[in-house]
Structure formats: structure tokens, C-alpha cells
Amino acid sequence: MTQFAPGDLVRIRDDYPPGHIRTPIYLRGKEGVVERYFGAFGNPEVLAYNLKGPKKDLYKIRFRAADVWPDYQGSPKDVIEADIYEHWLEKLA
Amino acid sequence: MSGDHHHHHDHGHGHAHSPPQPDDKVHSYYQILSIALKELLIEKNVVTAAEVRRFIEARDSITPANGARVIARAWVDPAFRARLLEDANKAVGELGFEMTTARLVAVENTQEAHNVVVCTLCSCYPRDLLGLPPAWYKSRAYRARIVREPRAVLQEFGTELSDDVALHVHDSTADIRFLVLPRRPAGTQHMSEAELAALVTRDSMIGVTVLDQVA
């Protein structure tokens, strides 16, 4: 049972812990939509230190470019998609 | 050579030579670290120099032509195209290509949407299928700008997208590697699969370009 489903509105945690984090800083705190679920993958935040830990569900999150960059110059249809592990996602209403 | 008082590089047998490349490259800290690690592993018999060379040769044998075969098959075989979009690892396996290190996902360009791929964090790239990424793909400029001003970057590659087309920038932040399935160019109805594969470029599979119409 996954925590999120395609179409869910989510926010990326606005958090800046040290370590090997694969959640880009430019997306932290941004809101997007779950586009698809990829499955569970090893967590890079522990793998980077040669440690073992539970796998994390990985989702493709779609952001409107204009939501990521308030002064975005392009089409309002443009999006950025990034692959984000579950523990970086917060569900919005 | 007609110049009698101009400086020129003619040295008596009709052509100029390029200067020799001086072997004075300064290695970075991490290059030195990597060389030291390799030498230690060889010294301790963990790997042999021949194994390292064979691995590099195997990597170098993977070229964008592999991806081009996949794209051409998807253009001529709708059932294969569907399987490629559903499970790309399995679909490229049908053509004998093995994704040994990552999950491959194909994203399809359509009239409504164009896809382009980046790894803003490092240089993730579908190496198992396309080989090593081009130098610009790993540059800070490309990685920063393609998410910030993607249409300006595409224009520099000669790619003009109408505002009606949604541009999807895929940031390869985790375990997935992306392959763009370009649109089949106009004027190619009579081409064979092999002829089609010859049209497919590396950059079109990264998504910074679209394929030219065939006259």
C-alpha cells in the first residue's frame, strides 16, 4: 500500500539536513502533483554511507515551471518533473 | 605559398603541422584519488589492469546507435512502442540491450508535449543504452539553465517550440534514467527500419533537438 497515488497534490519538504540528499534544493517547499509511482528503491541517504535501511517509495512529481520560478519566461504549460522519495513528500488537502 | 613577407607555417613540404599536444595536464584532487585507488586495487590483486581496460572498452562500445535502433523499432511497430512506454527495460531487452544499472523510462514526444532530460544534481544518463553523456550534458550551465530557462537553451540548440507545446523537463534525481522517444520526421513513410535508425541523433534522445523533416 503506497502512501501517495497519481493525481495527489503534494509539497516537497522544506528541509535542509546534511548528507547525500537527492531532492534538489530548487524544489524544496514547492507544490506539485504525483504523476506516477515507480516502486520502492534503496534510500541514497543511507546507501551513500554504506549503511542498510528500508527501501523508499519513489514517485515522479510534476511541478508547473511557473510555480517553481515565479518569474518563469516560457509557456504556462511548461512543467518540471523530478523523482522524489516518499519521505520528502507532504500530502496537501 | 605566395606570402613573401607574411608570417606563415609552411615548412617546405606543402602543409602545416598541428603542434604536438603537451602532456602537461594538471590532475584534480579527485582524479589523483581515483588513479591512486585504481593502482592500489591492482597492486592488491583485487582487479587487474586488463580487467579495468576491458570494462572501459565495454563502456566505450555502447553508443547512441543502440538507442536509435530502439527508437526506429518504436516508430515502425506500434506494439513495441506500447511495450517501450510500459516497461522500457524489458522492451530494449528484446533488441538485445541490457540495462544493467538502472530503470529506464521512455517519454514520448507528441504534438502537444516535448520532453527534455537533465540531471541537475550530477550527470545521470541512460549510459547502458546511449553510452557516455556529452560534455555539455554534465556542464553546470546546462544543468542549471535547462530547468530555469529551458526554451532559451533549446533555442541555442536550434529548437523552436511553439507555446502551445508543453515542455516537460525531466530532472533525473533518483533511480530512473530517461530516454526521449522523438517524433518520427515527416517524409519518412517509405523508409526501412534501418534507414530510420540512421536518422535518430543522440541529442534528439536527450530532447534538446527535434529531428529534421526528410526532403
Side-chain angles (χ1 to χ4, degrees):
Chain A
M1 189 59 193
T2 57
Q3 210 182 333
F4 301 94
D8 281 357
L9 209 57
V10 292
R11 182 189 293 122
I12 309 303
R13 261 170 58 204
D14 195 10
D15 200 2
Y16 301 84
H20 182 69
I21 311 289
R22 298 291 307 182
T23 302
I25 286 182
Y26 76 94
L27 294 175
R28 296 192 201 172
K30 305 295 182 189
E31 294 179 10
V33 175
V34 176
E35 198 264 335
R36 69 170 95 167
Y37 171 63
F38 286 125
F41 289 84
N43 180 2
E45 293 164 33
V46 298
L47 290 177
Y49 301 96
N50 202 23
L51 301 171
K52 298 232 186 300
K55 290 194 169 187
K56 297 286 183 185
D57 282 333
L58 183 65
Y59 299 88
K60 191 169 191 44
I61 310 297
R62 181 176 285 170
F63 306 85
R64 292 181 34 202
D67 287 343
V68 176
W69 315 111
D71 61 346
Y72 182 71
Q73 307 274 317
S75 167
K77 295 182 171 182
D78 293 353
V79 296
I80 297 170
E81 305 190 19
D83 306 333
I84 309 288
Y85 299 92
E86 58 180 331
H87 57 294
W88 279 90
L89 300 175
E90 298 166 343
K91 194 172 258 176
L92 295 177
Chain B
M1 284 260 166
S2 59
D4 43 15
H5 52 263
H6 293 291
H7 175 75
H8 59 79
H9 295 283
D10 185 87
H11 54 270
H13 57 270
H15 65 271
H17 282 280
S18 305
Q21 294 297 309
D23 189 15
D24 58 359
K25 184 169 172 257
V26 178
H27 289 96
S28 71
Y29 172 82
Y30 289 106
Q31 284 170 322
I32 294 168
L33 186 67
S34 137
I35 293 166
L37 184 63
K38 183 182 95 176
E39 288 178 353
L40 273 173
L41 289 170
I42 291 169
E43 206 176 294
K44 293 187 176 296
N45 293 317
V46 179
V47 294
T48 65
E51 282 170 339
V52 173
R53 173 182 52 79
R54 277 197 291 272
F55 180 81
I56 292 169
E57 284 170 352
R59 279 277 125 186
D60 283 349
S61 74
I62 305 173
T63 75
N66 296 7
R69 279 187 52 205
V70 173
I71 302 302
R73 176 65 59 86
W75 286 342
V76 300
D77 181 347
F80 178 80
R81 175 186 151 277
R83 292 198 296 279
L84 179 67
L85 295 172
E86 174 70 28
D87 183 342
N89 286 49
K90 219 155 120 188
V92 303
E94 293 176 33
L95 300 186
F97 303 126
E98 196 192 352
M99 295 296 297
T100 49
T101 54
R103 173 90 66 91
L104 183 69
V105 167
V107 287
E108 184 181 32
N109 288 347
T110 63
Q111 238 172 336
E112 292 81 33
H114 180 88
N115 298 281
V116 62
V117 181
V118 65
C119 171
T120 60
L121 297 174
C122 47
S123 59
C124 297
Y125 186 77
R127 290 160 200 250
D128 293 336
L129 185 66
L130 302 184
L132 297 178
W136 56 258
Y137 183 86
K138 301 183 279 184
S139 71
R140 282 177 191 274
Y142 177 74
R143 289 158 48 211
R145 293 182 58 220
I146 196 69
V147 289
R148 188 72 179 85
E149 44 173 11
R151 285 174 185 260
V153 174
L154 292 193
Q155 266 174 5
E156 291 167 20
F157 278 95
T159 306
E160 301 279 348
L161 276 193
S162 142
D163 274 0
D164 298 339
V165 177
L167 179 54
H168 291 239
V169 180
H170 299 268
D171 190 353
S172 320
T173 49
D175 295 78
I176 315 299
R177 300 293 171 268
F178 295 98
L179 172 72
V180 174
L181 172 50
R183 296 179 70 196
R184 179 172 174 167
T188 59
Q189 301 86 329
H190 309 298
M191 285 191 171
S192 71
E193 190 177 328
E195 287 169 331
L196 289 168
L199 299 177
V200 181
T201 62
R202 176 196 66 198
D203 290 0
S204 72
M205 293 183 279
I206 301 173
V208 289
T209 58
V210 295
L211 296 169
D212 293 330
Q213 180 176 327
V214 174

